[in-house]
């Protein structure tokens, strides 16, 4: 399988929880960026047919029609397999008839909507611009033009959020009946507005007990609605699991293009420049815009395989990882596994996987393999 990630770092406004590489973008700057992006893609001369393509951000749906036409020209540099998955991230407020028609023309067949919550005061707290009505309109437009593979990103454990608010969000999920849900617990990242608001005591994080109640409620309700829980934060109807994200979780190789993007090719993980001006400067000099690259050593490969594979509900087959890396994984991580088993976070049989408790305390598990 060959996969490509393309990063569009521009946003209309900056969400207060976000630490992804991004900036508020002006139209002329976006045009320059797309010129550079095309140059970068051409440098790699990807010969393989692409199975999954993911355009993330930032906010790719911010691009106007002419810029989407320009982006299509870049996409057309790749050879695409017949049964490909092509995802674009969108904000609900950006979707119009004209834009969704353009998505279809580009070959996009999966759309990920950044919803976070349907509660207006919580959306304001996160500095989100859309309303719940815009979410309904966005889903309607996508279905109108035959894009049925829709994901909604939602968030829980937001400051000031109550269990009733999560119940209300679930009720909207039930009404919209999209085939994929990504439901994340809020992570307080450094250098975000939300982190500063917490530090200044303007708002408070929810305690672990409330967060746990929300998490288990979400699991139960989504299961009742027919969603299969296949990754810590991801749920899908049958046949709608994200093919692209499974490339990451299964620690497979992929190309990454654009400012702040990363890729993993030929046992080397590389990270592009994470500032637009540095990214453009390198491409103006006919240089690949790589900031750092690391040869992945055996120990790091094993840790990455566990960090990523344990996110999957089915975990990792021990025989698969032993054969792939030529190790006895249970002996290699004997100390780590003993601690995590004793804590009730993982179970080991023919597979290594998180327990129900381990799913909630996943970050504590993952710290052992960083």
């Amino acid at each position: 399988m060959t996969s490509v990630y393309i990063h569009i770092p521009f946003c209309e406004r900056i969400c207060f929880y976000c630490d992804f590489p991004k900036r508020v973008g002006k139209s002329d700057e976006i045009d320059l960026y797309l010129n550079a992006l095309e140059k970068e893609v051409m440098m790699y001369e990807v010969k393989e047919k692409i199975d999954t393509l993911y355009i993330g951000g930032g906010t790719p749906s911010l691009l106007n029609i002419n810029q989407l036409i320009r982006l299509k020209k870049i996409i057309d540099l790749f050879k695409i397999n017949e049964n490909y998955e092509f995802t674009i991230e969108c904000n609900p407020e950006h979707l119009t008839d004209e834009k969704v028609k353009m998505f279809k023309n580009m070959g996009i067949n999966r759309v990920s909507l950044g919803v976070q919550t349907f509660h207006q005061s919580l959306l304001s707290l996160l500095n989100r611009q859309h309303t719940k009505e815009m979410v309904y309109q966005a889903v309607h437009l996508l279905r109108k033009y035959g894009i049925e593979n829709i994901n909604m990103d939602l968030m829980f454990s937001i400051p000031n959020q109550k269990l009733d608010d999560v119940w209300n969000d679930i009720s909207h999920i039930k009404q919209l009946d999209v085939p994929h849900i990504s439901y994340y617990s809020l992570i307080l990242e450094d250098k975000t507005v939300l982190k500063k608001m917490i530090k200044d005591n303007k708002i408070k994080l929810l305690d672990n007990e409330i967060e746990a109640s929300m998490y288990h409620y979400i699991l139960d309700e989504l299961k009742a609605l027919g969603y299969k829980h296949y990754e810590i934060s991801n749920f899908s109807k049958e046949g709608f699991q994200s093919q692209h994200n499974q490339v990451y979780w299964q620690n497979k190789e992929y190309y990454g293009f654009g400012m702040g993007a990363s890729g993993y090719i030929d046992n080397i993980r590389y990270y592009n420049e994470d500032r637009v001006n540095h990214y453009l400067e390198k491409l103006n000099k006919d240089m690949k815009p790589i900031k750092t690259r690391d040869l992945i050593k055996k120990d790091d490969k094993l840790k990455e395989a566990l960090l990523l594979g344990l996110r999957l509900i089915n975990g990792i087959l021990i025989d698969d990882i032993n054969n792939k890396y030529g190790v006895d994984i249970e002996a290699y991580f004997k100390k780590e596994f003993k601690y995590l088993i004793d804590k009730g976070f993982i179970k080991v049989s023919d597979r290594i996987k998180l327990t129900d408790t381990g799913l909630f305390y996943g970050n504590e598990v993952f710290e052992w393999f960083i």
Side-chain angles (χ1 to χ4, degrees):
M1 177 175 278
T2 303
S3 295
V4 168
Y5 174 79
I6 294 176
H7 192 68
I8 305 295
F10 303 102
C11 296
E12 199 166 17
R13 57 168 65 187
I14 304 301
C15 298
F16 288 170
Y17 55 87
C18 181
D19 74 333
F20 288 119
K22 79 284 182 185
R23 64 187 289 168
V24 175
K26 298 177 181 177
S27 187
D28 56 346
E29 186 178 36
I30 295 173
D31 292 336
L32 289 173
Y33 179 83
L34 292 173
N35 290 339
L37 181 64
E38 180 179 25
K39 199 169 183 179
E40 183 191 3
V41 170
M42 292 177 71
M43 283 179 177
Y44 279 80
E45 298 182 332
V46 178
K47 298 285 194 282
E48 310 97 305
K49 286 190 174 181
I50 305 303
D51 298 286
T52 74
L53 178 59
Y54 195 106
I55 301 178
T59 314
S61 58
L62 176 65
L63 272 57
N64 62 36
I65 294 299
N66 287 333
Q67 289 162 347
L68 288 172
I69 291 170
R70 186 79 184 81
L71 183 58
K72 182 182 185 302
K73 183 181 175 184
I74 298 168
I75 300 304
D76 289 344
L77 294 170
F78 300 109
K79 297 175 183 176
I80 308 291
N81 261 331
E82 186 177 349
N83 297 315
Y84 68 95
E85 178 192 84
F86 182 179
T87 305
I88 188 168
E89 292 181 349
C90 297
N91 280 2
E93 67 270 22
H94 292 151
L95 294 192
T96 62
D97 275 86
E98 190 179 19
K99 222 167 243 194
V100 178
K101 279 183 189 177
M102 187 62 213
F103 288 173
K104 287 288 288 186
N105 187 39
M106 293 171 69
I108 291 167
N109 54 24
R110 184 174 186 270
V111 170
S112 182
L113 290 174
V115 175
Q116 315 316 333
T117 178
F118 290 85
H119 194 287
Q120 200 58 52
S121 68
L122 295 177
L123 286 169
S124 298
L125 176 64
L126 299 173
N127 202 34
R128 299 290 293 182
Q129 197 170 4
H130 67 269
T131 64
K132 65 182 178 183
E133 290 79 15
M134 290 175 183
V135 179
Y136 276 80
Q137 177 64 13
V139 172
H140 168 75
L141 272 176
L142 292 169
R143 286 177 170 155
K144 176 181 174 182
Y145 290 100
I147 300 178
E148 298 287 343
N149 195 352
I150 302 167
N151 171 62
M152 289 197 309
D153 274 350
L154 289 114
M155 188 180 290
F156 70 98
S157 197
I158 303 167
N160 302 333
Q161 190 177 37
K162 298 177 175 60
L163 192 57
D164 280 351
D165 299 326
V166 177
W167 176 88
N168 184 61
D169 286 348
I170 296 285
S171 71
H172 288 294
I173 291 172
K174 183 177 181 180
Q175 290 183 60
L176 288 164
D177 194 30
V178 297
H180 195 283
I181 301 293
S182 299
Y183 222 136
Y184 302 97
S185 171
L186 172 71
I187 297 175
L188 194 62
E189 303 286 0
D190 291 335
K191 298 179 181 178
T192 61
V193 174
L194 212 57
K195 180 74 177 274
K196 187 174 189 310
M197 291 170 74
I198 297 287
K199 184 180 178 182
D200 293 344
N201 293 317
K202 292 181 178 179
I203 54 174
K204 292 183 179 180
L205 289 175
L206 302 187
D207 64 39
N208 280 346
E209 186 177 338
I210 295 172
E211 183 178 347
S213 297
M214 289 178 172
Y215 181 67
H216 291 298
Y217 176 77
I218 290 164
L219 295 186
D220 292 342
E221 290 300 308
L222 291 183
K223 182 179 179 181
L225 292 175
Y227 292 93
K228 180 182 179 182
H229 187 197
Y230 72 101
E231 190 269 347
I232 286 182
S233 303
N234 284 272
F235 308 78
S236 80
K237 300 291 180 72
E238 189 60 41
F240 285 93
Q241 292 92 340
S242 168
Q243 299 305 307
H244 184 85
N245 286 338
Q246 288 186 81
V247 169
Y248 302 147
W249 301 325
Q250 293 169 15
N251 206 24
K252 295 179 179 179
E253 295 191 341
Y254 62 95
Y255 293 92
F257 298 104
M259 185 208 91
S262 67
Y264 179 30
I265 299 294
D266 296 331
N267 290 321
I268 292 174
R269 194 172 295 282
Y270 65 88
Y271 303 87
N272 275 356
E273 294 287 352
D274 55 6
R275 296 186 181 183
V276 170
N277 58 328
H278 292 171
Y279 175 81
L280 295 176
E281 282 171 11
K282 282 198 171 177
L283 284 159
N284 286 337
K285 295 175 182 176
D286 295 323
M287 299 167 59
K288 287 182 179 178
I290 294 172
K291 185 176 183 179
T292 60
R293 70 185 85 207
D294 301 311
L295 178 64
I296 308 299
K297 299 177 182 177
K298 182 176 180 179
D299 185 65
D300 293 329
K301 284 184 183 179
L302 288 169
K303 288 178 179 178
E304 283 191 350
L306 288 170
L307 273 170
L308 296 165
L310 282 173
R311 296 190 62 87
L312 294 166
I313 300 304
N314 289 333
I316 311 163
L317 273 170
I318 289 176
D319 283 349
D320 283 356
I321 199 167
N322 286 349
N323 293 334
K324 183 175 181 179
Y325 298 105
V327 296
D328 177 347
I329 195 70
E330 292 176 85
Y332 198 93
F333 289 114
K334 182 178 180 180
K335 179 185 73 173
E336 291 86 348
F337 284 3
K338 183 181 185 310
Y339 173 85
L340 294 170
I341 290 169
D342 289 346
K343 290 281 287 185
F345 290 163
I346 66 169
K347 50 188 173 184
V348 178
S349 54
D350 61 326
R351 294 176 178 272
I352 309 160
K353 62 181 184 178
L354 296 176
T355 62
D356 290 344
T357 303
L359 287 172
F360 182 70
Y361 290 102
N363 287 338
E364 186 172 335
V365 176
F366 301 146
E367 283 176 5
W368 282 84
F369 306 107
I370 293 175

